[in-house]
Amino acid sequence: MTKTTLFIDTLPAYTGNIYHDDLPCVDISHVVDADGLDGMTGQTAGIKLFDKDGKPKSVLIYPNGRKSYPYPQAKGVAVVYGELSSPIHAVLGLDNAQALYNALQGTSKGGAVVSLPNHLETSFKAVLNTFKPICVYTTHDKPIDYPHGDVISHIAPLSVALANETLAEMMAGDGVKVHQADTWGELAPLVNSTKHHNPYPVDAFGELAGVVKAISHHTQTPLSMAGQSVLGALSTIGQMFVNAPFGYEHKPVSLFLLTQAPSGGGKTQVNKLAYKAIHDHDKQAYKEFIELMDEYTQAKETLKSKERADYLASTNKPTNPTTTLKDATIESILDRFIMMESYNQSWASDEAGAFFGGHSMKADTNANALTSYTTLWSSGEAHRMRSSRAKGATYHTNAYNCRITLDLAGQAVIIEPALNDPLLSGQGLLARCLFSFEPSLIGQRDWLTETNPYQDYILKNYWQRCTALLNRGMPTHADGTPHRHNMPFGQGAKRALQEYQQKIEHEQAKGGRLEHYTAYASRIATLLAFFSDSECVEVRHLQGAFELVEYSMSERINYSDMADNEPSDIQKLLAWLIKRCKTKKTDCLNWSVIYIGCPKPMLKNSKYLKEILEVLENASYVCIEMKGKTKIIRLNPEILV
């Protein structure tokens, strides 16, 4: 009688005697677990038997029977003909399996055959992945993609093809096609060893996606670096004109952005293109300011007392209209706000060290500085108290409707300590930042192909749009204070933002690092709507904003893994497997040996060890096999060289 194995997931425990005249007891060699194979009827019958202690002991099985399967609710049934310790072949259909098994016994190959009834065809791939046979047999009209062994295709089912000829004769005939697979396949990069895998959602910018791509192309920098600068430019312009809807209120649209970039990584050139219209506008405004200041100074010096008094009474002292800062302190920024010299400022710099290492951020003053920045971000208010007896004392202490954009970039030596500083995190400055830590393209850049960004029509149109907005000037009330437009929600947009807030609720806690990201989505969406000249924030703007926010959250959460030079758990286990195999002069190890000897945290952690080994198997570093009842982990010969 053919020895048969029942490959099974779950069957109800048998509690009574078995009475079935045509259900013979078959010698069972192995019972294993599996998932995903659904109900079994009509082809094979089986009952799992238990010993007096309630442990599975044997199985009664009726292959090729006409009786219904007694427990149709059970899952995961596959029949194996022969010993699992021998080479395994596979074919769909129990009649084909019996024919193949009989044919194999007459060859030097021998071996076992694993099969499913034809009506469980959709589960066949799961069986193949579990048993990993050396050969899979099929017909031309049912191609099978199988990477772990050969696929042998015949014009007819095996039950027909082998009815009147041997396996060798069938293989030599014209009706056979053999696809020989590279059993191991190419080694794939390990996910946890990849320094950066967070694709930038450039299409989230909508009509501005082309601008981001163009800047990235001309400067040979990552898309994320270009995207950060474009967001900074939009914030610098948009903060003068609009407020973002959030709940039943409106908030500043100002953004804080932090980008990691090495020296020579291209951030300077990126800013030069993204902020070109802003810088040109500032230069012209500063030139006009100098001319007015010269006129004002000359009048003060040349006019006689009464004329000078009348002039000073009717003429305000010119103020520097420059909005972009290259180097500053929080004190100078607050002073400009409080003295009403400016309502909008933007600090865009590729020298983040000037910000994090400046005078304001010294140990004895940085708490106050951080509070000032976060207050400006949240409410647009500026506060600065001075002693009434101090030099330069003034009764001006507060300013409202102020806006500031921070677009900072720096090397890892600056960024990493800042991200690990509990005060910077605790005071909430970094919680209000959008991040990008994508590696630079240094080493991959092409300096032989010339590109001229100033002839790029996409960038020229972008600069023209920026210039047109800047030339409008900030709208003001009669007293000169800002009169920004409260951008409304469009149809369905408020609900979309609420649903997004609910989605990330479980990821954030009050005061936590993700708390402000819903507000950020509203700000970004408002800027995208404003730049496209939309009358309201639409759902499409929010959807793009959600993608950019999700990118930043992933960057921040994964940063510690990126910066950490410690090997991942996957790398630790792989290194241990290689060392152990080389020491034992073998290419395989028993599961039990790995389970009790591998590094922590996989050590004696069956579930996690299985997950890590599956990652290694999917990347072709190892192969998980069954040798009889023993699970074997075999290493790819390529990594043992």
Side-chain angles (χ1 to χ4, degrees):
M1 182 179 291
T2 302
K3 181 172 285 188
T4 309
T5 297
L6 183 64
F7 173 66
I8 194 163
D9 174 31
T10 302
L11 276 178
Y14 176 72
T15 57
N17 295 324
I18 298 174
Y19 298 100
H20 203 305
D21 293 340
D22 58 352
L23 188 61
C25 183
V26 182
D27 182 18
I28 299 302
S29 61
H30 193 46
V31 178
V32 294
D33 292 331
D35 295 314
L37 307 181
D38 292 324
M40 178 87 165
T41 58
Q43 292 284 344
T44 299
I47 302 173
K48 181 181 286 188
L49 301 182
F50 295 79
D51 62 20
K52 63 181 180 180
D53 297 321
K55 296 181 180 178
K57 184 178 182 180
S58 187
V59 175
L60 289 180
I61 183 170
Y62 186 32
N64 300 317
R66 293 179 299 278
K67 303 296 182 181
S68 296
Y69 187 64
Y71 298 108
Q73 72 271 29
K75 295 180 179 180
V77 179
V79 175
V80 178
Y81 297 80
E83 292 283 356
L84 282 171
S85 57
S86 58
I88 299 175
H89 302 251
V91 65
L92 185 67
L94 300 183
D95 52 347
N96 294 324
Q98 186 69 66
L100 177 60
Y101 177 79
N102 293 337
L104 285 169
Q105 306 320 301
T107 69
S108 59
K109 295 181 180 179
V113 178
V114 62
S115 182
L116 279 182
N118 286 307
H119 72 279
L120 293 180
E121 179 179 356
T122 56
S123 299
F124 195 42
K125 188 172 183 180
V127 172
L128 298 180
N129 289 337
T130 300
F131 284 94
K132 293 187 174 60
I134 61 171
C135 289
V136 179
Y137 298 79
T138 186
T139 52
H140 294 343
D141 61 333
K142 294 182 178 180
I144 293 176
D145 182 16
Y146 177 64
H148 302 293
D150 296 343
V151 177
I152 299 173
S153 174
H154 193 270
I155 192 171
L158 292 188
S159 60
V160 175
L162 295 173
N164 298 308
E165 59 184 7
T166 66
L167 183 61
E169 290 171 340
M170 186 196 81
M171 294 296 295
D174 295 334
V176 169
K177 297 178 182 178
V178 179
H179 173 70
Q180 294 182 326
D182 178 1
T183 303
W184 285 103
E186 184 178 353
L187 291 173
L190 296 175
V191 173
N192 280 16
S193 65
T194 302
K195 289 298 182 183
H196 195 275
H197 184 69
N198 188 22
Y200 192 68
V202 63
D203 292 330
F205 281 85
E207 65 185 56
L208 285 168
V211 175
V212 177
K213 293 175 183 177
I215 293 176
S216 172
H217 168 72
H218 290 294
T219 59
Q220 300 190 74
T221 55
L223 285 169
S224 60
M225 186 183 292
Q228 291 277 92
S229 287
V230 170
L231 286 174
L234 294 184
S235 176
T236 300
I237 298 173
Q239 68 184 8
M240 294 190 290
F241 297 95
V242 291
N243 294 319
F246 190 68
Y248 295 97
E249 299 179 314
H250 282 79
K251 301 288 186 180
V253 295
S254 308
L255 305 181
F256 288 2
L257 306 119
L258 185 60
T259 304
Q260 182 170 293
S263 178
K267 180 62 173 174
T268 301
Q269 287 302 114
V270 168
N271 277 1
K272 189 174 181 180
L273 297 180
Y275 285 83
K276 180 182 183 303
I278 298 171
H279 291 156
D280 289 348
H281 186 270
D282 265 5
K283 287 178 184 177
Q284 181 61 34
Y286 182 72
K287 178 183 177 182
E288 294 173 0
F289 160 70
I290 293 299
E291 293 174 352
L292 291 173
M293 196 65 199
D294 287 343
E295 180 182 323
Y296 182 83
T297 302
Q298 184 179 11
K300 280 180 63 178
E301 294 175 350
T302 58
L303 292 176
K304 303 235 174 180
S305 56
K306 186 176 183 311
E307 291 177 332
R308 182 172 60 187
D310 291 340
Y311 176 79
L312 295 177
S314 61
T315 307
N316 293 324
K317 181 180 179 180
T319 57
N320 188 345
T322 303
T323 58
T324 54
L325 311 170
K326 294 296 184 183
D327 188 11
T329 63
I330 187 60
E331 291 82 6
S332 63
I333 291 171
L334 293 177
D335 281 348
R336 292 196 71 200
F337 284 141
I338 291 170
M339 300 309 296
M340 294 181 288
E341 294 179 3
S342 175
Y343 286 98
N344 303 281
Q345 299 185 63
S346 175
W347 190 349
S349 172
D350 58 356
E351 295 293 340
F355 178 86
F356 291 110
H359 171 73
S360 301
M361 305 299 281
K362 299 300 182 184
D364 56 341
T365 58
N366 63 351
N368 289 335
L370 292 172
T371 299
S372 296
Y373 282 118
T374 56
T375 301
L376 282 167
W377 186 91
S378 299
S379 63
E381 297 180 5
H383 306 283
R384 181 165 168 77
M385 296 294 294
R386 283 177 173 167
S387 170
S388 59
R389 294 185 294 274
K391 183 178 180 180
T394 175
Y395 59 88
H396 293 281
T397 59
N398 302 323
Y400 304 93
N401 295 318
C402 305
R403 303 290 186 265
I404 185 166
T405 294
L406 293 179
D407 181 8
L408 306 174
Q411 301 177 46
V413 68
I414 300 296
I415 302 297
E416 187 173 348
L419 292 173
N420 293 324
D421 187 319
L423 187 59
L424 283 168
S425 297
Q427 291 292 104
L429 177 66
L430 294 181
R432 291 165 170 81
C433 284
L434 290 172
F435 300 101
S436 171
F437 307 124
E438 187 173 356
S440 76
L441 300 181
I442 292 177
Q444 307 173 46
R445 296 177 291 188
D446 173 17
W447 298 112
L448 298 178
T449 304
E450 294 186 11
T451 63
N452 185 350
Y454 301 102
Q455 296 300 319
D456 190 318
Y457 77 94
I458 293 177
L459 293 181
K460 290 169 75 172
N461 289 340
Y462 163 69
W463 294 327
Q464 289 175 4
R465 174 62 175 158
C466 291
T467 299
L469 292 172
L470 290 165
N471 286 341
R472 292 182 187 177
M474 181 185 70
T476 61
H477 294 286
D479 60 358
T481 58
H483 181 49
R484 299 183 180 92
H485 175 59
N486 288 333
M487 187 74 81
F489 283 118
Q491 184 176 5
K494 185 176 182 179
R495 180 65 177 178
L497 186 62
Q498 290 171 334
E499 290 175 352
Y500 180 73
Q501 184 171 11
Q502 188 65 51
K503 173 188 172 185
I504 67 171
E505 178 65 25
H506 70 280
E507 299 174 358
Q508 66 180 7
K510 187 175 181 180
R513 64 182 177 183
L514 303 181
E515 182 181 7
H516 304 287
Y517 276 92
T518 307
Y520 243 127
S522 173
R523 294 179 184 223
I524 295 171
T526 300
L527 290 171
L528 295 176
F530 166 72
F531 196 86
S532 64
D533 213 19
S534 298
E535 295 182 355
C536 60
V537 176
E538 301 173 13
V539 172
R540 62 187 175 94
H541 301 130
L542 282 170
Q543 289 172 339
F546 296 157
E547 292 184 45
L548 292 166
V549 166
E550 292 286 344
Y551 173 85
S552 177
M553 285 196 291
S554 296
E555 290 289 271
R556 181 65 183 99
I557 292 170
N558 295 334
Y559 185 80
S560 58
D561 293 334
M562 291 171 47
D564 191 357
N565 290 323
E566 288 293 317
S568 68
D569 292 342
I570 296 174
Q571 293 167 323
K572 289 178 183 177
L573 181 61
L574 181 60
W576 183 87
L577 291 170
I578 293 172
K579 182 178 180 180
R580 186 66 178 243
C581 283
K582 287 184 176 180
T583 300
K584 297 294 183 180
K585 297 182 179 179
T586 182
D587 67 345
C588 62
L589 296 170
N590 288 1
W591 165 274
S592 59
V593 172
I594 300 171
Y595 177 75
I596 62 174
C598 68
K600 294 180 179 180
M602 290 73 65
L603 180 66
K604 297 183 179 179
N605 186 338
S606 179
K607 182 178 180 181
Y608 190 43
L609 176 59
K610 180 182 177 182
E611 291 176 2
I612 298 297
L613 286 172
E614 286 177 351
V615 172
L616 290 173
E617 184 177 35
N618 291 334
S620 298
Y621 287 83
V622 305
C623 180
I624 304 172
E625 304 172 352
M626 293 301 301
K627 187 175 183 181
K629 297 181 181 181
T630 305
K631 185 181 289 187
I632 300 294
I633 311 302
R634 190 175 303 279
L635 273 64
N636 189 328
E638 186 176 337
I639 65 175
L640 292 174
V641 176

